[in-house]
Amino acid sequence: MNNTKYIIIIFFILTSCQKHKIYFDTKIQKVVSCNNLPINSLEVDNDSIKADGFPYEGGFLFVWQGDTELIPSDFSFNNIPKEYRCTKGGILYKSKLKLKPNCRYIVKKSGNGLNPHVIKIWTDKRGIVYKTTHSECIDNEGTPEEWSK
């Protein structure tokens, strides 16, 4: 019984240090998990405001509903697997998602009791991501300069 207790404690110590570290690869246009953890859920919020002062759109939440052995460790807005259930403002969203042009998005990976990881991405006039706060695997300790622009 004592050995079981120690194994459980060691397991929690090892897994508590993991984070949902992600980055956005602008070349392949994908959110990528740094530590190969599956992306079983992803929050995407358009952080931009229209000229009338209102937001462009509500936030999206993607949650994997398929076989847990098949959850990918990357996520493309151009080719979202059908196993992801998408909700927008808490309502099931069945339309194809297209990132809006000239906008800034907040992308957050969380779940499984691990610390969440947040990145920001910017789209050009065609809705293609051209800039990100995390173009490679880095900790998001502090606030990168690009966040304020």
Side-chain angles (χ1 to χ4, degrees), residues 1-141:
M1 185 67 164
N2 270 346
N3 287 341
T4 304
K5 228 189 292 187
Y6 289 119
I7 291 171
I8 291 171
I9 290 170
I10 290 171
F11 172 77
F12 282 113
I13 289 171
L14 292 174
T15 59
S16 66
C17 296
Q18 289 188 14
K19 291 184 179 177
H20 285 293
K21 290 168 51 172
I22 56 174
Y23 69 98
F24 194 90
D25 188 323
T26 55
K27 289 180 182 79
I28 61 172
Q29 294 289 298
K30 286 185 178 186
V31 175
V32 181
S33 176
C34 294
N35 47 11
N36 254 359
L37 286 176
I39 300 177
N40 56 346
S41 68
L42 199 67
E43 294 176 48
V44 181
D45 291 302
N46 189 329
D47 193 34
S48 300
I49 304 295
K50 295 189 286 188
D52 62 5
F54 289 97
Y56 272 89
E57 58 191 331
F60 294 92
L61 175 63
F62 296 92
V63 178
W64 184 264
Q65 298 289 305
D67 183 348
T68 55
E69 298 294 319
L70 302 175
I71 305 173
S73 60
D74 59 23
F75 185 92
S76 169
F77 294 106
N78 300 323
N79 189 19
I80 302 170
K82 64 180 177 17
E83 289 85 2
Y84 279 106
R85 180 175 178 239
C86 177
T87 56
K88 181 178 180 180
I91 299 169
L92 190 61
Y93 187 77
K94 294 192 178 191
S95 299
K96 183 177 179 183
L97 174 68
K98 176 144 175 53
L99 296 177
K100 302 278 186 218
N102 301 315
C103 286
R104 180 175 66 182
Y105 288 86
I106 297 172
V107 180
K108 179 179 174 183
K109 182 180 182 226
S110 59
N112 298 335
L114 299 176
N115 293 329
H117 194 77
V118 177
I119 64 173
K120 289 189 179 183
I121 58 175
W122 286 261
T123 58
D124 63 14
K125 64 183 178 185
R126 296 173 298 158
I128 305 297
V129 177
Y130 73 95
K131 178 177 157 182
T132 177
T133 54
H134 294 72
S135 58
E136 58 185 22
C137 292
I138 59 172
D139 287 327
N140 66 340
E141 305 298 329

